[in-house]
Amino acid sequence: MVTVDQLCCLDGLIWLQSGNAVGALTLQHQTTVSRNQRKCAKAFGVDVLKRDGLWQIEGDCQLLQLEREVHQAARVKFGQGLRLEAALSPETALPQDLARIWTVGSSRIREPDHFETLLERRVIEAWLTSEEQALGRSEAIISLPLTDEPETMRLVVHRDLHQQPVIAGLMTGLSA
């Protein structure tokens, strides 16, 4: 129904909460990001509005959700364009082989509920976080420790993705 770029711009805006940040990740100008997300929203009959300083989608999202599931299945199957929420510094950047597969973004919203929602709605595939933040309430989301140490970073993913090879590869790369 929509192009990969259009859905990426819409979901990127909901994820990162900044058209400029989406543009930096997708290598597009902010005006192109805005145009693409508007086309995507129109195709699904939803509105993208800024409320209380946050970009949100309003309307019936049933078709949009189905499209997200198809796009996520393709990203996972082909191992490209996978999305990781993480506040990584240059010293902790992903190894080169993972950086080719994963797009790393850092949302300006730092609320665990936001990231759980992004995982549930198939906007992102994984969230790298500390143990305290990873304790969620959703049964669809699981938190995987990266090491056996008590205070470790965790990778939070949708339950049906946790056994995918791309997730195992990410965990191995982050643990190294």
Side-chain angles (χ1 to χ4, degrees):
M1 284 185 73
V2 296
T3 68
V4 171
D5 268 352
Q6 290 169 345
L7 183 61
C8 183
C9 289
L10 175 69
D11 283 346
L13 187 61
I14 299 304
W15 170 21
L16 302 172
Q17 293 291 307
S18 163
N20 288 327
V22 176
L25 276 183
T26 60
L27 304 175
Q28 298 177 26
H29 193 274
Q30 187 275 330
T31 56
T32 303
V33 169
S34 180
R35 185 173 41 256
N36 279 338
Q37 70 83 15
R38 279 195 315 270
K39 286 179 183 177
C40 186
K42 183 178 180 182
F44 291 110
V46 297
D47 294 312
V48 179
L49 307 169
K50 199 165 198 177
R51 257 211 193 118
D52 300 324
L54 302 176
W55 289 105
Q56 301 171 23
I57 296 176
E58 292 190 359
D60 182 355
C61 293
Q62 186 176 4
L63 287 176
L64 173 60
Q65 193 53 42
L66 292 170
E67 188 80 4
R68 283 175 170 158
E69 289 176 24
V70 168
H71 281 253
Q72 184 180 64
R75 289 192 305 268
V76 170
K77 179 178 180 176
F78 298 114
Q80 57 189 161
L82 297 165
R83 300 172 185 157
L84 171 66
E85 166 62 32
L88 296 176
S89 66
E91 304 84 52
T92 59
L94 292 179
Q96 186 71 357
D97 58 331
L98 291 177
R100 279 185 251 125
I101 299 169
W102 291 88
T103 299
V104 180
S106 185
S107 177
R108 71 176 187 87
I109 300 176
R110 305 304 313 155
E111 300 293 324
D113 290 345
H114 175 65
F115 303 125
E116 284 188 22
T117 299
L118 294 174
L119 288 164
E120 287 174 340
R121 293 185 182 160
R122 315 297 180 143
V123 173
I124 62 174
E125 280 71 48
W127 169 35
L128 181 63
T129 186
S130 65
E131 187 169 0
E132 306 86 54
Q133 295 177 325
L135 304 174
R137 295 173 290 280
S138 172
E139 290 185 24
I141 306 302
I142 61 171
S143 176
L144 308 166
L146 292 179
T147 66
D148 293 331
E149 298 170 18
E151 297 200 20
T152 184
M153 293 298 287
R154 303 183 76 78
L155 192 65
V156 184
V157 299
H158 197 281
R159 183 170 298 282
D160 65 1
L161 292 181
H162 86 281
Q163 293 184 347
Q164 293 290 329
V166 292
I167 299 298
L170 178 60
M171 288 190 65
T172 300
L174 291 172
S175 298

